[in-house]
């Protein structure tokens, strides 16, 4: 295999968790950055006693558990446990759909927009608490040194900034689609980021934001939003920069020889991204190699094989093992899969 192969690394929610991203809370406990299974418990705990948090909790109990009101005599910890089974992508889909559906009443549309704004504000508040630490910096440094080359790019579906802030200080990087990424490591964040904010009509990187740019991880992200309140719906056309990020990501996926998915589980709700993957896999002389880095790589590979024309999938079950293999080890594993 030619050493000049371009690799695109796609990072999902499982990546910063596997890298050790966490936050300390009262009592000396540490809460790992949440994925689907414990999202609402961690999210509502870290959101604190804000009005936005109460709005979100009330919405979840009403529309997903069928309660007329939040159980008043139940402890906050027990209430969080009751919400554990609620699918995060389904919540985003519901809010996005009700905000735009013609059948929605004006009252429901207004309520959906209010819930969306509460979610966005608390996503910024919660995920900004997860900062780089000694372990994340060490793993990201080893990953960058052992795997990443100038021709490669990074796609992160995470709202947090653990990955980019864990990069060594000597690494020049930029948010492709927002900033000049010439001769820099290109980082694309198609679902937005807690350090993006709309300023003077354009999206810019900021230190912190109380109203970050968040794109809903649903199949509805392509819906037109003309006439809606700017920033309330989380769709692709909220800003030209967001559309630009998705366009550049599709170009990167089409050009890449290897697609490496780290901690990304291909949620069914995000059909729009699946269509981008389908485009990248078709219309080429040879499809890109696909690599999964995930403890659940076997079942994810099964789902991918049933949905996409992928003959061979290379599987790593541990982030540390993948990083230690280096770029040469990754290429050997891909070569072996292609030869099988």
């Amino acid at each position: 295999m030619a050493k000049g192969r371009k690799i695109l690394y796609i990072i999902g929610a499982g990546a910063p968790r596997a890298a050790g991203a966490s936050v300390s809370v009262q009592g000396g406990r540490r809460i790992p950055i949440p994925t689907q299974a414990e999202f609402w418990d961690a999210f509502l705990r870290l959101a604190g006693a804000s009005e936005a948090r109460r709005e979100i909790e009330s919405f979840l109990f009403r529309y997903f558990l069928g309660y007329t009101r939040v159980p008043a005599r139940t402890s906050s910890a027990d209430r969080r446990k009751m919400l554990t089974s609620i699918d995060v992508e389904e919540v985003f889909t519901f809010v996005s759909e009700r905000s735009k559906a013609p059948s929605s009443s004006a009252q429901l549309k207004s309520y959906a927009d209010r819930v969306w704004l509460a979610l966005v504000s608390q996503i910024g508040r919660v995920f900004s608490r997860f900062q780089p630490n000694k372990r994340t910096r060490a793993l990201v440094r080893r990953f960058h040194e052992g795997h990443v080359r100038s021709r490669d790019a990074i796609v992160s579906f995470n709202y947090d900034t653990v990955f980019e802030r864990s990069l060594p200080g000597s690494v020049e990087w930029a948010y492709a689609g927002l900033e000049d990424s010439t001769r820099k490591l290109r980082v694309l964040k198609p679902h937005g980021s807690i350090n993006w904010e709309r300023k003077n009509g354009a999206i810019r990187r900021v230190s912190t934001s109380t109203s970050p740019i968040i794109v809903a991880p649903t199949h509805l992200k392509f819906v037109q939003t003309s006439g809606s309140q700017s920033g309330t719906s989380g769709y692709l056309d909220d800003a030209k920069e967001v559309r630009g990020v998705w366009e550049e990501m599709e170009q990167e996926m089409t050009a890449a020889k290897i697609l490496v998915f780290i901690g990304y589980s291909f949620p069914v709700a995000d059909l729009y991204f699946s269509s981008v993957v389908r485009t990248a896999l078709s219309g080429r002389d040879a499809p890109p190699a696909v690599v999964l880095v995930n403890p659940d790589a076997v079942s994810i590979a099964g789902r991918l094989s049933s949905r996409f024309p992928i003959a061979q999938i290379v599987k790593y079950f541990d982030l540390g093992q993948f990083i230690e293999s280096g770029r040469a080890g990754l290429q050997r594993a891909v070569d072996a899969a292609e030869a099988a």
Side-chain angles (χ1 to χ4, degrees):
M1 179 174 63
K3 293 186 177 180
R5 277 190 170 183
K6 178 183 178 65
I7 302 178
L8 184 64
Y9 299 92
I10 299 99
I11 298 174
R17 185 185 180 92
S22 63
V23 63
S24 60
V25 294
Q26 192 173 10
R29 279 191 56 207
R30 297 199 69 83
I31 296 179
I33 196 166
T35 54
Q36 169 68 42
E38 67 289 319
F39 182 86
W40 295 113
D41 180 64
F43 181 80
L44 293 172
R45 180 172 182 177
L46 296 175
S50 64
E51 181 61 34
R53 180 201 181 281
R54 287 189 287 271
E55 180 93 78
I56 295 167
E57 188 176 48
S58 174
F59 162 75
L60 293 174
F61 270 100
R62 178 180 177 184
Y63 283 94
F64 287 84
L65 295 185
Y67 286 70
T68 56
R69 61 178 60 87
V70 175
R73 297 184 179 181
T74 307
S75 70
S76 58
D78 286 340
R79 291 200 304 271
R80 293 196 304 270
K81 290 179 182 178
M82 294 171 69
L83 300 171
T84 300
S85 63
I86 299 176
D87 185 271
V88 177
E89 280 82 14
E90 188 176 351
V91 170
F92 276 101
T93 298
F94 181 91
V95 174
S96 302
E97 183 183 67
R98 292 301 94 192
S99 176
K100 297 293 165 242
S103 60
S104 295
S105 66
Q107 182 179 13
L108 180 53
K109 288 183 179 183
S110 177
Y111 180 55
D113 280 344
R114 195 167 72 244
V115 171
W116 171 257
L117 290 174
L119 281 167
V120 168
S121 69
Q122 294 310 296
I123 284 172
R125 174 174 178 168
V126 168
F127 283 96
S128 64
R129 296 187 62 175
F130 293 93
Q131 300 292 323
N133 57 45
K134 185 176 181 179
R135 184 181 174 192
T136 66
R137 288 192 177 97
L139 281 172
V140 172
R141 184 188 70 250
R142 285 160 47 204
F143 165 68
H144 181 267
E145 292 175 351
H147 283 267
V148 182
R149 301 295 179 265
S150 60
R151 56 189 169 274
D152 302 331
I154 309 292
V155 170
S156 172
F157 282 105
N158 299 326
Y159 300 132
D160 65 82
T161 58
V162 171
F163 170 78
E164 51 264 48
R165 295 185 63 191
S166 292
L167 284 165
S170 58
V171 176
E172 294 189 23
W173 63 273
Y175 287 125
L178 269 70
E179 305 164 329
D180 181 9
S181 57
T182 306
R183 299 182 182 279
K184 297 178 181 178
L185 175 62
R186 294 163 55 79
V187 179
L188 296 108
K189 301 193 77 171
H191 281 168
S193 186
I194 60 171
N195 64 336
W196 292 5
E197 189 172 271
R198 186 177 282 102
K199 306 186 80 171
N200 300 320
I203 295 178
R204 297 287 182 267
R205 189 204 307 195
V206 295
S207 298
T208 58
S209 175
T210 57
S211 56
I213 302 301
I214 301 298
V215 176
T218 78
H219 66 286
L220 299 170
K221 56 169 60 78
F222 58 86
V223 174
Q224 294 296 309
T225 59
S226 57
S228 68
Q229 181 181 350
S230 178
T232 63
S233 53
Y235 293 102
L236 291 186
D237 70 339
D238 277 351
K240 63 180 178 61
E241 292 90 350
V242 175
R243 294 194 302 273
V245 170
W246 278 82
E247 290 168 359
E248 292 203 33
M249 180 184 69
E250 185 163 346
Q251 293 171 8
E252 293 282 357
M253 293 189 73
T254 302
K257 301 300 183 182
I258 305 175
L259 303 177
V260 179
F261 296 91
I262 305 174
Y264 184 75
S265 58
F266 287 87
V268 175
D270 201 351
L271 294 178
Y272 192 88
F273 176 63
S274 293
S275 72
V276 175
V277 175
R278 201 172 298 281
T279 300
L281 293 173
S282 65
R284 303 162 52 136
D285 294 335
V290 174
V291 178
L292 297 179
V293 184
N294 199 304
D296 200 23
V298 171
S299 62
I300 295 172
R303 292 204 304 272
L304 284 181
S305 297
S306 67
R307 294 170 61 188
F308 303 103
I310 304 174
Q312 295 289 339
I313 298 176
V314 175
K315 295 177 281 291
Y316 290 86
F317 301 97
D318 178 77
L319 178 60
Q321 175 199 18
F322 166 74
I323 291 175
E324 286 302 315
S325 72
R327 191 181 185 94
L330 170 64
Q331 293 184 339
R332 286 194 297 270
V334 168
D335 282 341
E338 291 177 342

